[in-house]
Amino acid sequence: MERYENPVVTVLKYASLIVASIVVLFPIYSVFVGAFKTREEFYSSGLSLPDNFFNFDNFVRVIEIGRLDIGFMNILTILAVALCGNILFGSMVAFAIGRFDFKLKNGIIGLFLLGQLIPTITTQVALFSVVKSLMLYNKLAVAMVLYMGADVLQIIIYLQFVRSIPKDLDESAMMEGASLFRIYRSIIFPLLAPATATLVILKTISIYNDFTVPFLFMQDERLQVVSTAIAAFVGPNAAQLNLISAAVLLIFIPTIVIFLVLQKYIFSGVTSGAVK
């Protein structure tokens, strides 16, 4: 039997969906159309479409003036090292905590969770002192170290997945003479592919969009990343919004590509094919 639905409720439902879609898509639309406008056209035409969608002058100026080539190279280097560290350390720690019982185990997990509750901004003064004492200030390595150690999101994500993997797999491998490291390398880590994909997406977006760490600890222009490169188009009295729109559009593209490539792994089963 078909359920009767009040027409008023149906109208309100679709109206709310339309409003929500507009709210979500409006910033993307404004950035997209603004990236192809000249400065005069940007301030005079409002949200209307640009006169020429083949006007790439803003993108050329962004790359030349903002040195986005250096920004992309630096952020890709930081991402490669930081993500490898997050994946390696996070999966190893989660394997140890999720598979073995030892003293202070619950206390360690509690400290990991407590670290997530402390606002990052409250630790900047102490963090700056630590960075200076380690002689990492104004070096690319400072971002790599901070992104690997200042966030325990990877441990929390991996721990939930490790706990869902049957321990029978470990026992079967031990009966065949496999060591603990072999179990981690050949059984546990391959089954953590969905967690790794989730971690890569979340950490990439977080590191890619972060402005605080590069701004505070990497003042040298040669160390700028894509987030700090946009600051070159913000003056003391006004901002060049058409150039900022072009820069945001260029910076936005890699995030979309990464998500489209890795999204299928997020929804795959954690133990898919394990028995085979």
Side-chain angles (χ1 to χ4, degrees):
M1 296 177 62
E2 295 184 1
R3 187 182 65 176
Y4 173 76
E5 185 172 333
N6 193 321
V8 177
V9 175
T10 303
V11 171
L12 291 176
K13 179 174 64 175
Y14 284 101
S16 62
L17 292 175
I18 293 173
V19 172
S21 300
I22 293 175
V23 171
V24 172
L25 296 176
F26 174 76
I28 300 176
Y29 168 79
S30 61
V31 168
F32 180 78
V33 298
F36 297 92
K37 294 181 178 180
T38 62
R39 184 174 184 178
E40 294 76 14
E41 185 184 0
F42 185 92
Y43 289 105
S44 62
S45 61
L47 296 176
S48 61
L49 295 175
D51 295 335
N52 182 14
F53 268 110
F54 295 96
N55 177 26
F56 299 107
D57 293 341
N58 291 338
F59 299 97
V60 174
R61 293 185 60 189
V62 162
I63 295 175
E64 292 178 350
I65 300 175
R67 299 304 305 272
L68 277 185
D69 53 342
I70 296 178
F72 275 116
M73 182 175 64
N74 288 337
I75 194 62
L76 289 177
T77 303
I78 293 172
L79 279 172
V81 177
L83 288 177
C84 288
N86 281 315
I87 293 171
L88 181 63
F89 297 141
S91 59
M92 285 185 170
V93 172
F95 173 63
I97 295 177
R99 279 298 196 259
F100 307 109
D101 293 324
F102 52 89
K103 293 181 179 180
L104 301 179
K105 173 181 176 179
N106 293 330
I108 293 174
I109 297 175
L111 289 176
F112 286 150
L113 296 176
L114 180 62
Q116 293 292 97
L117 301 178
I118 300 176
T120 307
I121 193 65
T122 62
T123 63
Q124 294 304 316
V125 176
L127 186 60
F128 191 85
S129 301
V130 173
V131 169
K132 290 287 288 186
S133 63
L134 294 176
M135 294 182 292
L136 293 176
Y137 181 73
N138 238 359
K139 295 181 180 178
L140 206 62
V142 65
M144 302 174 185
V145 173
L146 292 179
Y147 290 139
M148 277 193 287
D151 186 7
V152 296
L153 177 65
Q154 64 274 16
I155 297 176
I156 296 174
I157 292 177
Y158 276 126
L159 186 58
Q160 301 304 316
F161 275 79
V162 168
R163 286 173 173 172
S164 66
I165 299 176
K167 291 186 178 181
D168 295 342
L169 299 176
D170 300 24
E171 296 172 357
S172 299
M174 289 181 180
M175 293 178 62
E176 296 295 332
S179 63
L180 293 177
F181 180 77
R182 180 66 182 272
I183 293 173
Y184 162 78
R185 180 175 61 87
S186 301
I187 298 177
I188 302 298
F189 187 75
L191 294 177
L192 294 177
T196 301
T198 303
L199 174 65
V200 168
I201 292 176
L202 294 179
K203 295 292 289 189
T204 297
I205 294 175
S206 176
I207 296 172
Y208 194 75
N209 294 331
D210 184 42
F211 180 81
T212 304
V213 169
F215 181 75
L216 291 178
F217 303 112
M218 299 189 302
Q219 295 288 333
D220 196 325
E221 292 184 359
R222 296 173 300 176
L223 301 178
Q224 72 174 10
V225 294
V226 291
S227 58
T228 55
I230 300 179
F233 307 105
V234 180
N237 299 318
Q240 304 180 56
L241 296 180
N242 59 318
L243 297 182
I244 292 178
S245 297
V248 170
L249 192 60
L250 288 175
I251 294 171
F252 187 62
I253 293 175
T255 306
I256 296 297
V257 173
I258 293 173
F259 176 78
L260 293 177
V261 171
L262 297 179
Q263 65 173 339
K264 62 180 180 180
Y265 295 103
I266 298 179
F267 306 105
S268 62
V270 65
T271 57
S272 177
V275 178
K276 180 185 297 185

